[in-house]
Amino acid sequence: APSCVLEAICGHDGAHHNMLHLVLPPMDPITDTEAAKFTTSGFSLPPGGTFPVYLGMEITGEQGDRPHYQRSAGKLVFVPPQLLFAGVVNTLVGDGNDKPFRGDRENTLYVRLVLGAVLRSQPPGEDLNRTAAFIITLPPSFTCVEVGVSPMTLNVFGTDIPQGRGSLPESVSGAQLGSWTLETNICHLQMSPWGALFAGSAILLRIVVNNPLHTLPMADQRNVWYVIMESFGELTSNLSQSITTPALPFHGGDGYYSNNVAVQGKLGASLSPLVFSPGAAANEMYVFFLTEQTAGPRSQVRVLGPEYEPFDFGKRCEPRLLDE
């Protein structure tokens, strides 16, 4: 019986065993009229999925000589592509989101993505370009303003080497890999022919957005970020449309990344003193404020006096609720 060994095409540590090595026993010659059939089973499908792809086979002599390569025929292998990681850098490390309030414009966010499947464009065809696409959909009422390369100095990198900050073309300038189209809450990268984003590669994007005019807590059901991938894979027929994944939600988990960002409300406040004359030894200040969001348990209110005036609350500040 044939012997079967699983091997890795790549030699680095942790490489996937993606090659099946069959050693055939002494047998009648295989010719163009005499075929041999082998059945294999128990394979694990790629956990990150794959767009339609052929399998390759190489036949050699007993000593590995006289190699002959052949590509599979018939149906292609397809496993629904997945998103291995997608998260927005949160406020724990102080990178981005410097304008978190409703109505703020040009707020910079940093997004990390790891694709589960190779996203590849085919060579240019005679009748059409079979290119791949990569789409980030922000929550409603966000506006995608710009997509760019993240700097090397972000706190989230720490001392990691390599940093895992693979870059894509900037939206303000075209590049060989593709070009961006920014429309309302959609950031769409149309890749060029021959372009490829490889599975497992870490991509870190700088995305500039205009925040919604309304508050949007992190737990709001509308506050979901999505990624959509489009590709023909290696399809060469029935090319009326590409293979498109469903909208895959961000899942950044815990730590320095979140599934989304909150759009915070603004605090409306006014101040009325009991004594208006300057230099009063004691005074009472009436503070009125209105919140736009629930602050939750153990919340705090801070009242700050003018920074450049000799304003002193003293050692016996006595806050209390106003009389009815």
Side-chain angles (χ1 to χ4, degrees):
S3 64
C4 176
V5 179
L6 293 176
E7 299 178 355
I9 294 179
C10 298
H12 61 82
D13 294 338
H16 293 290
H17 289 79
N18 53 351
M19 181 172 67
L20 177 65
H21 187 180
L22 289 175
V23 178
L24 304 180
M27 55 186 294
D28 295 334
I30 300 174
T31 67
D32 56 350
T33 58
E34 297 292 335
K37 291 185 178 181
F38 304 94
T39 301
T40 57
S41 60
F43 295 118
S44 297
L45 297 175
T50 178
F51 286 97
V53 63
Y54 290 98
L55 298 180
M57 181 177 67
E58 183 183 64
I59 302 175
T60 67
E62 185 176 359
Q63 304 300 323
D65 53 348
R66 303 191 306 277
H68 177 75
Y69 184 83
Q70 181 68 39
R71 192 174 70 171
S72 62
K75 295 182 178 180
L76 278 67
V77 177
F78 171 72
V79 182
Q82 303 297 318
L83 193 60
L84 297 185
F85 182 93
V88 186
V89 178
N90 59 36
T91 56
L92 291 178
V93 290
D95 293 328
N97 201 22
D98 295 327
K99 300 177 180 179
F101 299 102
R102 62 171 179 82
D104 283 350
R105 302 179 66 83
E106 297 186 353
N107 183 24
T108 298
L109 302 172
Y110 296 101
V111 172
R112 185 175 187 266
L113 303 167
V114 181
L115 307 184
V118 177
L119 190 62
R120 182 176 61 184
S121 292
Q122 294 188 12
E126 297 180 357
D127 51 348
L128 76 165
N129 286 327
R130 308 183 186 111
T131 55
F134 177 84
I135 304 167
I136 300 175
T137 302
L138 313 181
S141 301
F142 273 94
T143 302
C144 189
V145 177
E146 182 182 333
V147 180
V149 177
S150 63
M152 301 174 60
T153 54
L154 296 182
N155 296 321
V156 72
F157 297 138
T159 57
D160 292 346
I161 298 175
Q163 292 182 327
R165 54 180 292 276
S167 60
L168 296 179
E170 295 196 343
S171 59
V172 295
S173 60
Q176 291 183 350
L177 183 60
S179 59
W180 289 93
T181 299
L182 311 180
E183 185 175 353
T184 61
N185 65 322
I186 296 176
C187 312
H188 183 136
L189 174 66
Q190 192 69 41
M191 297 172 59
S192 302
W194 300 102
L197 295 177
F198 293 99
S201 300
I203 302 168
L204 195 69
L205 300 175
R206 176 180 58 86
I207 300 181
V208 181
V209 302
N210 291 338
N211 291 348
L213 299 178
H214 55 80
T215 62
L216 192 64
M218 295 183 73
D220 195 304
Q221 294 183 352
R222 299 169 297 173
N223 195 355
V224 183
W225 294 53
Y226 294 100
V227 170
I228 297 174
M229 295 177 282
E230 299 179 357
S231 177
F232 290 92
E234 296 185 358
L235 286 173
T236 56
S237 59
N238 300 323
L239 297 174
S240 58
Q241 61 184 27
S242 60
I243 304 296
T244 302
T245 68
L248 305 172
F250 275 36
H251 51 93
D254 300 324
Y256 294 148
Y257 295 90
S258 303
N259 298 342
N260 55 26
V261 292
V263 180
Q264 301 179 18
K266 299 180 180 180
L267 185 69
S270 62
L271 187 68
S272 177
L274 180 64
V275 179
F276 284 88
S277 59
N283 201 349
E284 290 189 4
M285 312 292 289
Y286 299 104
V287 180
F288 305 89
F289 62 90
L290 178 65
T291 62
E292 295 181 343
Q293 293 173 286
T294 301
R298 302 179 65 85
S299 57
Q300 300 180 8
V301 175
R302 300 178 65 189
V303 179
L304 305 178
E307 183 178 358
Y308 300 107
E309 297 291 338
F311 197 96
D312 187 6
F313 285 117
K315 297 181 180 180
R316 297 186 59 189
C317 178
E318 299 179 357
R320 66 179 185 272
L321 298 178
L322 296 177
D323 297 333
E324 296 184 1

